Amino acid sequence: MDTFQNILAPTFRDINWSALFDFDSLRGATFMDVIDILLVAYIIYRVMKLLKDTSAERLVKGIIVLAGVLLLATVMKLTTISFILKNSLGIGVFAIIVIFQPELRRILEQLGKGNLSRLFVSANDPDAVEAAVSAVVDACADMAKTKTGALIVFEHRERLGEIVATGTTVDAAPSPELIKNIFFKNSPLHDGAMVIREGRVCAAGCVLPLSGSQNLSRDLGTRHRAAVGMSESADSVLVVVSEETGAISVAIGGMLKRHLSPEVLKKVLEGELLETDKPDKSRIAALRNIWKGGAGK
């Protein structure tokens, strides 16, 4: 222990702590400097929020950890570690461009369209989401009568770029007629899932991950297991219409409630998608109280 302290003591003595915590320089800050700092902080916040909606969030966290380790290694004068990390981060810039290609493309498209506000302000329109909910409820009511199988994903806070990439881009305003045509038995997209993003039909024919839960009823088909699996891995809200029975089901947070009426379906979707200020745990707890049952019951 004494040897370890003797090794670290000179290193910590060499650190220029006064330079790291130099608050005297802040005294000369002007009002515009404060505005500049706040603007940069807000831009960083919005960029981080944009990345949080994608699968790149874990990669960003890893980069931040590596940057923190590099800073600590530089301060402590760990030459070898600093050299390795600096070169790794240098190569990582090109890797980031490749990995973040969908996000960068989306940003550039918004710049080209002049929709700069959508980069910094939430693009969710409650009226559009409400209209999408009404269209889905009406379509599901009709498909339940004709026993037309359907699987619809309402994207919530977490972006589903990887799921959308497995299907066919649609980008259309939802309507009962459009939804029923997509899930018509002879349609080439009827076997996959439809993804609704920001109140619009984003894609159809998408492939969803299946749930590995052993608590699901054995009579559940692939659509129901895919709905539960997607709700387990993301905060999405999924609607399923059974092809065998015509029953309407909803999957949220790994829970599946079956045999819903169109009226109950509308209340559940509006409560989940329009009341965005409620914490996830309280929403799921409230659903448990309303449904009084677990998955597959």
Side-chain angles (χ1 to χ4, degrees):
M1 187 67 182
D2 293 338
T3 304
F4 185 72
Q5 291 178 347
N6 292 334
I7 294 175
L8 289 181
T11 302
F12 281 99
R13 284 198 300 267
D14 293 338
I15 298 175
N16 188 1
W17 298 105
S18 59
L20 291 176
F21 302 98
D22 184 12
F23 296 103
D24 293 335
S25 59
L26 297 178
R27 297 177 181 176
T30 64
F31 177 75
M32 294 306 298
D33 293 332
V34 175
I35 296 297
D36 187 21
I37 294 173
L38 291 177
L39 285 175
V40 172
Y42 181 73
I43 292 174
I44 293 175
Y45 165 75
R46 295 306 305 186
V47 170
M48 294 300 295
K49 190 172 182 179
L50 179 66
L51 294 178
K52 186 178 180 180
D53 294 334
T54 67
S55 59
E57 178 184 6
R58 292 186 294 272
L59 179 62
V60 173
K61 290 180 179 178
I63 294 174
I64 293 176
V65 171
L66 286 179
V69 173
L70 174 60
L71 178 62
L72 183 62
T74 303
V75 171
M76 298 181 65
K77 298 182 179 180
L78 302 178
T79 308
T80 304
I81 296 179
S82 299
F83 174 79
I84 294 174
L85 291 178
K86 284 180 181 178
N87 286 274
S88 299
L89 291 176
I91 298 175
V93 172
F94 297 98
I96 289 174
I97 295 176
V98 176
I99 295 173
F100 287 170
Q101 187 268 338
E103 287 75 19
L104 293 174
R105 179 179 177 179
R106 178 177 156 209
I107 292 174
L108 291 176
E109 286 178 351
Q110 295 299 332
L111 289 174
K113 294 177 181 178
N115 297 330
L116 296 177
S117 59
R118 295 188 64 185
L119 298 178
F120 306 104
V121 181
S122 178
N124 282 332
D125 183 1
D127 294 336
V129 175
E130 187 174 3
V133 169
S134 297
V136 169
V137 171
D138 293 341
C140 288
D142 293 339
M143 289 187 293
K145 295 177 182 178
T146 58
K147 294 184 179 180
T148 301
L151 178 55
I152 302 172
V153 184
F154 279 94
E155 186 182 74
H156 204 25
R157 298 181 183 88
E158 185 175 349
R159 290 278 179 174
L160 305 177
E162 295 178 349
I163 300 299
V164 170
T166 63
T168 301
T169 302
V170 179
D171 191 19
S175 66
E177 293 75 17
L178 173 63
I179 297 173
K180 288 187 291 185
N181 283 335
I182 289 177
F183 290 110
F184 182 66
K185 293 182 180 180
N186 293 330
S187 169
L189 301 177
H190 78 282
D191 278 335
M194 173 189 294
V195 178
I196 296 181
R197 170 184 292 173
E198 298 173 0
R200 293 180 63 83
V201 178
C202 179
C206 301
V207 180
L208 305 185
L210 298 180
S211 173
S213 176
Q214 301 298 322
N215 298 324
L216 297 176
S217 300
R218 293 184 178 180
D219 62 336
L220 293 178
T222 305
R223 283 191 179 92
H224 292 83
R225 295 186 178 276
V228 175
M230 189 72 255
S231 68
E232 289 173 343
S233 59
D235 63 347
S236 306
V237 180
L238 293 98
V239 180
V240 186
V241 179
S242 174
E243 190 173 1
E244 288 76 20
T245 64
I248 302 174
S249 306
V250 173
I252 303 172
M255 297 170 50
L256 180 67
K257 182 59 181 180
R258 306 167 67 186
H259 306 291
L260 299 180
S261 66
E263 294 76 17
V264 175
L265 173 63
K266 186 172 184 179
K267 290 181 180 179
V268 172
L269 293 180
E270 289 179 347
E272 284 295 315
L273 301 172
L274 297 179
E275 299 178 10
T276 56
D277 295 332
K278 293 183 178 180
D280 291 343
K281 293 184 179 179
S282 65
R283 291 191 292 111
I284 295 175
L287 286 172
R288 286 194 181 124
N289 293 332
I290 294 175
W291 294 346
K292 296 181 180 179
K297 294 184 179 179

